[in-house]
PDB file of all heavy atoms in Angstrom:
ATOM      1  N   PRO A  20     -37.274-107.477  96.210  1.00 95.00           N
ATOM      2  CA  PRO A  20     -35.991-108.189  96.368  1.00 95.00           C
ATOM      3  C   PRO A  20     -36.106-109.416  97.265  1.00 95.00           C
ATOM      4  O   PRO A  20     -35.516-110.463  96.978  1.00 95.00           O
ATOM      5  CB  PRO A  20     -35.078-107.120  96.982  1.00 95.00           C
ATOM      6  CG  PRO A  20     -35.641-105.831  96.503  1.00 95.00           C
ATOM      7  CD  PRO A  20     -37.124-106.027  96.497  1.00 95.00           C
ATOM      8  N   ARG A  21     -36.856-109.292  98.347  1.00 96.00           N
ATOM      9  CA  ARG A  21     -37.025-110.431  99.257  1.00 96.00           C
ATOM     10  C   ARG A  21     -37.774-111.577  98.574  1.00 96.00           C
ATOM     11  O   ARG A  21     -37.396-112.747  98.697  1.00 96.00           O
ATOM     12  CB  ARG A  21     -37.773-109.985 100.510  1.00 96.00           C
ATOM     13  CG  ARG A  21     -37.905-111.088 101.564  1.00 96.00           C
ATOM     14  CD  ARG A  21     -38.602-110.580 102.819  1.00 96.00           C
ATOM     15  NE  ARG A  21     -38.568-111.594 103.861  1.00 96.00           N
ATOM     16  CZ  ARG A  21     -37.561-111.758 104.704  1.00 96.00           C
ATOM     17  NH1 ARG A  21     -36.506-110.953 104.623  1.00 96.00           N
ATOM     18  NH2 ARG A  21     -37.595-112.701 105.630  1.00 96.00           N
ATOM     19  N   LEU A  22     -38.829-111.241  97.854  1.00 95.00           N
ATOM     20  CA  LEU A  22     -39.600-112.261  97.157  1.00 95.00           C
ATOM     21  C   LEU A  22     -38.745-112.979  96.117  1.00 95.00           C
ATOM     22  O   LEU A  22     -38.840-114.209  95.965  1.00 95.00           O
ATOM     23  CB  LEU A  22     -40.820-111.626  96.480  1.00 95.00           C
ATOM     24  CG  LEU A  22     -41.896-111.053  97.410  1.00 95.00           C
ATOM     25  CD1 LEU A  22     -42.988-110.366  96.602  1.00 95.00           C
ATOM     26  CD2 LEU A  22     -42.496-112.148  98.294  1.00 95.00           C
ATOM     27  N   GLN A  23     -37.911-112.239  95.413  1.00 95.00           N
ATOM     28  CA  GLN A  23     -37.047-112.848  94.405  1.00 95.00           C
ATOM     29  C   GLN A  23     -36.042-113.798  95.041  1.00 95.00           C
ATOM     30  O   GLN A  23     -35.798-114.904  94.536  1.00 95.00           O
ATOM     31  CB  GLN A  23     -36.319-111.764  93.604  1.00 95.00           C
ATOM     32  CG  GLN A  23     -37.204-110.993  92.647  1.00 95.00           C
ATOM     33  CD  GLN A  23     -37.853-111.876  91.607  1.00 95.00           C
ATOM     34  OE1 GLN A  23     -37.266-112.855  91.152  1.00 95.00           O
ATOM     35  NE2 GLN A  23     -39.084-111.552  91.244  1.00 95.00           N
ATOM     36  N   ILE A  24     -35.446-113.385  96.134  1.00 97.00           N
ATOM     37  CA  ILE A  24     -34.454-114.231  96.809  1.00 97.00           C
ATOM     38  C   ILE A  24     -35.086-115.533  97.276  1.00 97.00           C
ATOM     39  O   ILE A  24     -34.546-116.622  97.049  1.00 97.00           O
ATOM     40  CB  ILE A  24     -33.822-113.471  97.999  1.00 97.00           C
ATOM     41  CG1 ILE A  24     -32.883-112.378  97.478  1.00 97.00           C
ATOM     42  CG2 ILE A  24     -33.059-114.440  98.904  1.00 97.00           C
ATOM     43  CD1 ILE A  24     -32.333-111.486  98.560  1.00 97.00           C
ATOM     44  N   TYR A  25     -36.244-115.436  97.901  1.00 96.00           N
ATOM     45  CA  TYR A  25     -36.879-116.629  98.454  1.00 96.00           C
ATOM     46  C   TYR A  25     -37.474-117.529  97.375  1.00 96.00           C
ATOM     47  O   TYR A  25     -37.851-118.667  97.665  1.00 96.00           O
ATOM     48  CB  TYR A  25     -37.951-116.233  99.471  1.00 96.00           C
ATOM     49  CG  TYR A  25     -37.373-116.053 100.854  1.00 96.00           C
ATOM     50  CD1 TYR A  25     -36.762-114.863 101.230  1.00 96.00           C
ATOM     51  CD2 TYR A  25     -37.402-117.093 101.779  1.00 96.00           C
ATOM     52  CE1 TYR A  25     -36.206-114.696 102.484  1.00 96.00           C
ATOM     53  CE2 TYR A  25     -36.845-116.944 103.036  1.00 96.00           C
ATOM     54  CZ  TYR A  25     -36.251-115.748 103.376  1.00 96.00           C
ATOM     55  OH  TYR A  25     -35.694-115.602 104.623  1.00 96.00           O
ATOM     56  N   SER A  26     -37.535-117.052  96.155  1.00 95.00           N
ATOM     57  CA  SER A  26     -38.072-117.886  95.084  1.00 95.00           C
ATOM     58  C   SER A  26     -37.063-118.905  94.570  1.00 95.00           C
ATOM     59  O   SER A  26     -37.442-119.861  93.889  1.00 95.00           O
ATOM     60  CB  SER A  26     -38.543-116.999  93.923  1.00 95.00           C
ATOM     61  OG  SER A  26     -37.441-116.399  93.254  1.00 95.00           O
ATOM     62  N   PHE A  27     -35.769-118.718  94.912  1.00 97.00           N
ATOM     63  CA  PHE A  27     -34.792-119.651  94.334  1.00 97.00           C
ATOM     64  C   PHE A  27     -33.534-119.873  95.161  1.00 97.00           C
ATOM     65  O   PHE A  27     -32.718-120.736  94.795  1.00 97.00           O
ATOM     66  CB  PHE A  27     -34.368-119.165  92.942  1.00 97.00           C
ATOM     67  CG  PHE A  27     -33.399-118.006  92.946  1.00 97.00           C
ATOM     68  CD1 PHE A  27     -32.032-118.231  92.920  1.00 97.00           C
ATOM     69  CD2 PHE A  27     -33.849-116.698  92.982  1.00 97.00           C
ATOM     70  CE1 PHE A  27     -31.129-117.178  92.924  1.00 97.00           C
ATOM     71  CE2 PHE A  27     -32.960-115.643  92.987  1.00 97.00           C
ATOM     72  CZ  PHE A  27     -31.593-115.881  92.953  1.00 97.00           C
ATOM     73  N   HIS A  28     -33.314-119.170  96.271  1.00 96.00           N
ATOM     74  CA  HIS A  28     -32.007-119.311  96.923  1.00 96.00           C
ATOM     75  C   HIS A  28     -31.789-120.710  97.503  1.00 96.00           C
ATOM     76  O   HIS A  28     -30.685-121.252  97.412  1.00 96.00           O
ATOM     77  CB  HIS A  28     -31.788-118.218  97.972  1.00 96.00           C
ATOM     78  CG  HIS A  28     -32.617-118.328  99.204  1.00 96.00           C
ATOM     79  ND1 HIS A  28     -33.940-118.692  99.183  1.00 96.00           N
ATOM     80  CD2 HIS A  28     -32.316-118.103 100.508  1.00 96.00           C
ATOM     81  CE1 HIS A  28     -34.407-118.685 100.422  1.00 96.00           C
ATOM     82  NE2 HIS A  28     -33.444-118.349 101.239  1.00 96.00           N
ATOM     83  N   MET A  29     -32.812-121.357  98.058  1.00 96.00           N
ATOM     84  CA  MET A  29     -32.638-122.723  98.544  1.00 96.00           C
ATOM     85  C   MET A  29     -32.623-123.735  97.394  1.00 96.00           C
ATOM     86  O   MET A  29     -31.802-124.666  97.414  1.00 96.00           O
ATOM     87  CB  MET A  29     -33.721-123.074  99.564  1.00 96.00           C
ATOM     88  CG  MET A  29     -33.656-122.239 100.843  1.00 96.00           C
ATOM     89  SD  MET A  29     -31.973-122.056 101.514  1.00 96.00           S
ATOM     90  CE  MET A  29     -31.512-123.754 101.822  1.00 96.00           C
ATOM     91  N   PRO A  30     -33.509-123.601  96.389  1.00 97.00           N
ATOM     92  CA  PRO A  30     -33.373-124.489  95.225  1.00 97.00           C
ATOM     93  C   PRO A  30     -31.975-124.461  94.612  1.00 97.00           C
ATOM     94  O   PRO A  30     -31.485-125.488  94.135  1.00 97.00           O
ATOM     95  CB  PRO A  30     -34.423-123.932  94.251  1.00 97.00           C
ATOM     96  CG  PRO A  30     -35.501-123.407  95.143  1.00 97.00           C
ATOM     97  CD  PRO A  30     -34.749-122.802  96.309  1.00 97.00           C
ATOM     98  N   LEU A  31     -31.316-123.301  94.631  1.00 98.00           N
ATOM     99  CA  LEU A  31     -29.963-123.199  94.093  1.00 98.00           C
ATOM    100  C   LEU A  31     -29.014-124.147  94.816  1.00 98.00           C
ATOM    101  O   LEU A  31     -28.247-124.892  94.184  1.00 98.00           O
ATOM    102  CB  LEU A  31     -29.457-121.760  94.214  1.00 98.00           C
ATOM    103  CG  LEU A  31     -27.976-121.528  93.896  1.00 98.00           C
ATOM    104  CD1 LEU A  31     -27.680-121.837  92.437  1.00 98.00           C
ATOM    105  CD2 LEU A  31     -27.573-120.087  94.233  1.00 98.00           C
ATOM    106  N   PHE A  32     -29.055-124.153  96.142  1.00 98.00           N
ATOM    107  CA  PHE A  32     -28.142-125.008  96.907  1.00 98.00           C
ATOM    108  C   PHE A  32     -28.451-126.484  96.703  1.00 98.00           C
ATOM    109  O   PHE A  32     -27.541-127.314  96.613  1.00 98.00           O
ATOM    110  CB  PHE A  32     -28.196-124.645  98.392  1.00 98.00           C
ATOM    111  CG  PHE A  32     -27.377-123.442  98.734  1.00 98.00           C
ATOM    112  CD1 PHE A  32     -27.973-122.201  98.888  1.00 98.00           C
ATOM    113  CD2 PHE A  32     -26.006-123.539  98.882  1.00 98.00           C
ATOM    114  CE1 PHE A  32     -27.212-121.086  99.196  1.00 98.00           C
ATOM    115  CE2 PHE A  32     -25.229-122.424  99.180  1.00 98.00           C
ATOM    116  CZ  PHE A  32     -25.842-121.200  99.333  1.00 98.00           C
ATOM    117  N   PHE A  33     -29.726-126.834  96.627  1.00 98.00           N
ATOM    118  CA  PHE A  33     -30.066-128.238  96.415  1.00 98.00           C
ATOM    119  C   PHE A  33     -29.728-128.678  94.989  1.00 98.00           C
ATOM    120  O   PHE A  33     -29.335-129.821  94.767  1.00 98.00           O
ATOM    121  CB  PHE A  33     -31.542-128.477  96.735  1.00 98.00           C
ATOM    122  CG  PHE A  33     -31.831-128.400  98.213  1.00 98.00           C
ATOM    123  CD1 PHE A  33     -32.662-127.423  98.732  1.00 98.00           C
ATOM    124  CD2 PHE A  33     -31.260-129.308  99.091  1.00 98.00           C
ATOM    125  CE1 PHE A  33     -32.923-127.352 100.091  1.00 98.00           C
ATOM    126  CE2 PHE A  33     -31.504-129.255 100.455  1.00 98.00           C
ATOM    127  CZ  PHE A  33     -32.342-128.271 100.957  1.00 98.00           C
ATOM    128  N   PHE A  34     -29.868-127.786  94.030  1.00 98.00           N
ATOM    129  CA  PHE A  34     -29.446-128.087  92.660  1.00 98.00           C
ATOM    130  C   PHE A  34     -27.945-128.373  92.630  1.00 98.00           C
ATOM    131  O   PHE A  34     -27.504-129.358  92.028  1.00 98.00           O
ATOM    132  CB  PHE A  34     -29.770-126.899  91.742  1.00 98.00           C
ATOM    133  CG  PHE A  34     -29.185-127.022  90.356  1.00 98.00           C
ATOM    134  CD1 PHE A  34     -29.912-127.611  89.337  1.00 98.00           C
ATOM    135  CD2 PHE A  34     -27.916-126.542  90.081  1.00 98.00           C
ATOM    136  CE1 PHE A  34     -29.371-127.739  88.052  1.00 98.00           C
ATOM    137  CE2 PHE A  34     -27.368-126.658  88.806  1.00 98.00           C
ATOM    138  CZ  PHE A  34     -28.098-127.265  87.795  1.00 98.00           C
ATOM    139  N   LEU A  35     -27.151-127.521  93.277  1.00 98.00           N
ATOM    140  CA  LEU A  35     -25.700-127.713  93.288  1.00 98.00           C
ATOM    141  C   LEU A  35     -25.320-129.002  94.006  1.00 98.00           C
ATOM    142  O   LEU A  35     -24.390-129.703  93.597  1.00 98.00           O
ATOM    143  CB  LEU A  35     -25.023-126.512  93.951  1.00 98.00           C
ATOM    144  CG  LEU A  35     -25.177-125.171  93.221  1.00 98.00           C
ATOM    145  CD1 LEU A  35     -24.589-124.040  94.054  1.00 98.00           C
ATOM    146  CD2 LEU A  35     -24.526-125.212  91.843  1.00 98.00           C
ATOM    147  N   SER A  36     -26.045-129.331  95.077  1.00 97.00           N
ATOM    148  CA  SER A  36     -25.779-130.585  95.795  1.00 97.00           C
ATOM    149  C   SER A  36     -26.070-131.782  94.904  1.00 97.00           C
ATOM    150  O   SER A  36     -25.315-132.758  94.894  1.00 97.00           O
ATOM    151  CB  SER A  36     -26.631-130.651  97.070  1.00 97.00           C
ATOM    152  OG  SER A  36     -26.302-129.602  97.958  1.00 97.00           O
ATOM    153  N   GLY A  37     -27.166-131.718  94.154  1.00 97.00           N
ATOM    154  CA  GLY A  37     -27.475-132.796  93.230  1.00 97.00           C
ATOM    155  C   GLY A  37     -26.469-132.890  92.099  1.00 97.00           C
ATOM    156  O   GLY A  37     -26.100-133.982  91.659  1.00 97.00           O
ATOM    157  N   PHE A  38     -25.998-131.756  91.649  1.00 97.00           N
ATOM    158  CA  PHE A  38     -24.990-131.715  90.583  1.00 97.00           C
ATOM    159  C   PHE A  38     -23.712-132.424  91.027  1.00 97.00           C
ATOM    160  O   PHE A  38     -23.039-133.077  90.223  1.00 97.00           O
ATOM    161  CB  PHE A  38     -24.699-130.266  90.218  1.00 97.00           C
ATOM    162  CG  PHE A  38     -23.831-130.090  89.010  1.00 97.00           C
ATOM    163  CD1 PHE A  38     -24.389-130.046  87.737  1.00 97.00           C
ATOM    164  CD2 PHE A  38     -22.455-129.960  89.123  1.00 97.00           C
ATOM    165  CE1 PHE A  38     -23.591-129.894  86.605  1.00 97.00           C
ATOM    166  CE2 PHE A  38     -21.651-129.805  88.010  1.00 97.00           C
ATOM    167  CZ  PHE A  38     -22.217-129.766  86.735  1.00 97.00           C
ATOM    168  N   LEU A  39     -23.372-132.304  92.294  1.00 96.00           N
ATOM    169  CA  LEU A  39     -22.132-132.898  92.819  1.00 96.00           C
ATOM    170  C   LEU A  39     -22.340-134.296  93.387  1.00 96.00           C
ATOM    171  O   LEU A  39     -21.378-134.934  93.824  1.00 96.00           O
ATOM    172  CB  LEU A  39     -21.562-131.994  93.920  1.00 96.00           C
ATOM    173  CG  LEU A  39     -21.102-130.601  93.481  1.00 96.00           C
ATOM    174  CD1 LEU A  39     -20.707-129.770  94.696  1.00 96.00           C
ATOM    175  CD2 LEU A  39     -19.945-130.692  92.500  1.00 96.00           C
ATOM    176  N   PHE A  40     -23.575-134.782  93.388  1.00 97.00           N
ATOM    177  CA  PHE A  40     -23.884-136.057  94.031  1.00 97.00           C
ATOM    178  C   PHE A  40     -23.149-137.219  93.376  1.00 97.00           C
ATOM    179  O   PHE A  40     -23.034-137.293  92.151  1.00 97.00           O
ATOM    180  CB  PHE A  40     -25.391-136.318  93.973  1.00 97.00           C
ATOM    181  CG  PHE A  40     -25.797-137.629  94.592  1.00 97.00           C
ATOM    182  CD1 PHE A  40     -25.983-137.735  95.963  1.00 97.00           C
ATOM    183  CD2 PHE A  40     -25.985-138.753  93.797  1.00 97.00           C
ATOM    184  CE1 PHE A  40     -26.349-138.950  96.536  1.00 97.00           C
ATOM    185  CE2 PHE A  40     -26.357-139.961  94.353  1.00 97.00           C
ATOM    186  CZ  PHE A  40     -26.542-140.066  95.732  1.00 97.00           C
ATOM    187  N   SER A  41     -22.668-138.126  94.232  1.00 94.00           N
ATOM    188  CA  SER A  41     -22.025-139.343  93.755  1.00 94.00           C
ATOM    189  C   SER A  41     -22.466-140.508  94.633  1.00 94.00           C
ATOM    190  O   SER A  41     -22.485-140.401  95.856  1.00 94.00           O
ATOM    191  CB  SER A  41     -20.499-139.214  93.789  1.00 94.00           C
ATOM    192  OG  SER A  41     -19.889-140.447  93.466  1.00 94.00           O
ATOM    193  N   SER A  42     -22.819-141.625  93.994  1.00 93.00           N
ATOM    194  CA  SER A  42     -23.261-142.807  94.739  1.00 93.00           C
ATOM    195  C   SER A  42     -22.213-143.911  94.704  1.00 93.00           C
ATOM    196  O   SER A  42     -22.535-145.084  94.932  1.00 93.00           O
ATOM    197  CB  SER A  42     -24.582-143.316  94.161  1.00 93.00           C
ATOM    198  OG  SER A  42     -24.438-143.656  92.787  1.00 93.00           O
ATOM    199  N   LYS A  43     -20.979-143.545  94.414  1.00 90.00           N
ATOM    200  CA  LYS A  43     -19.920-144.545  94.337  1.00 90.00           C
ATOM    201  C   LYS A  43     -19.683-145.188  95.704  1.00 90.00           C
ATOM    202  O   LYS A  43     -19.801-144.543  96.737  1.00 90.00           O
ATOM    203  CB  LYS A  43     -18.631-143.902  93.833  1.00 90.00           C
ATOM    204  CG  LYS A  43     -18.688-143.456  92.375  1.00 90.00           C
ATOM    205  CD  LYS A  43     -17.362-142.849  91.938  1.00 90.00           C
ATOM    206  CE  LYS A  43     -17.418-142.399  90.478  1.00 90.00           C
ATOM    207  NZ  LYS A  43     -16.130-141.794  90.041  1.00 90.00           N
ATOM    208  N   GLY A  44     -19.320-146.456  95.677  1.00 88.00           N
ATOM    209  CA  GLY A  44     -19.022-147.153  96.920  1.00 88.00           C
ATOM    210  C   GLY A  44     -20.256-147.785  97.539  1.00 88.00           C
ATOM    211  O   GLY A  44     -21.385-147.628  97.061  1.00 88.00           O
ATOM    212  N   SER A  45     -20.036-148.484  98.634  1.00 94.00           N
ATOM    213  CA  SER A  45     -21.138-149.129  99.353  1.00 94.00           C
ATOM    214  C   SER A  45     -21.953-148.108 100.112  1.00 94.00           C
ATOM    215  O   SER A  45     -21.518-146.969 100.311  1.00 94.00           O
ATOM    216  CB  SER A  45     -20.577-150.164 100.330  1.00 94.00           C
ATOM    217  OG  SER A  45     -19.849-149.514 101.362  1.00 94.00           O
ATOM    218  N   PHE A  46     -23.134-148.529 100.550  1.00 96.00           N
ATOM    219  CA  PHE A  46     -23.967-147.612 101.320  1.00 96.00           C
ATOM    220  C   PHE A  46     -23.285-147.239 102.630  1.00 96.00           C
ATOM    221  O   PHE A  46     -23.396-146.092 103.090  1.00 96.00           O
ATOM    222  CB  PHE A  46     -25.330-148.238 101.614  1.00 96.00           C
ATOM    223  CG  PHE A  46     -26.207-147.365 102.466  1.00 96.00           C
ATOM    224  CD1 PHE A  46     -26.692-146.153 101.989  1.00 96.00           C
ATOM    225  CD2 PHE A  46     -26.519-147.734 103.777  1.00 96.00           C
ATOM    226  CE1 PHE A  46     -27.485-145.333 102.777  1.00 96.00           C
ATOM    227  CE2 PHE A  46     -27.307-146.924 104.569  1.00 96.00           C
ATOM    228  CZ  PHE A  46     -27.797-145.720 104.063  1.00 96.00           C
ATOM    229  N   LYS A  47     -22.556-148.169 103.233  1.00 96.00           N
ATOM    230  CA  LYS A  47     -21.851-147.882 104.482  1.00 96.00           C
ATOM    231  C   LYS A  47     -20.824-146.772 104.275  1.00 96.00           C
ATOM    232  O   LYS A  47     -20.736-145.835 105.082  1.00 96.00           O
ATOM    233  CB  LYS A  47     -21.166-149.144 105.007  1.00 96.00           C
ATOM    234  CG  LYS A  47     -20.405-148.923 106.308  1.00 96.00           C
ATOM    235  CD  LYS A  47     -19.734-150.208 106.783  1.00 96.00           C
ATOM    236  CE  LYS A  47     -18.950-149.962 108.061  1.00 96.00           C
ATOM    237  NZ  LYS A  47     -18.271-151.206 108.545  1.00 96.00           N
TER     238      LYS A  47
END
């Protein structure tokens, strides 16, 4: 169970962050 969790739990959060990413507006 531990090995399975560590194989994807952080990739899941970064995937969701990328899914919601928006570059609208200026860099500031």
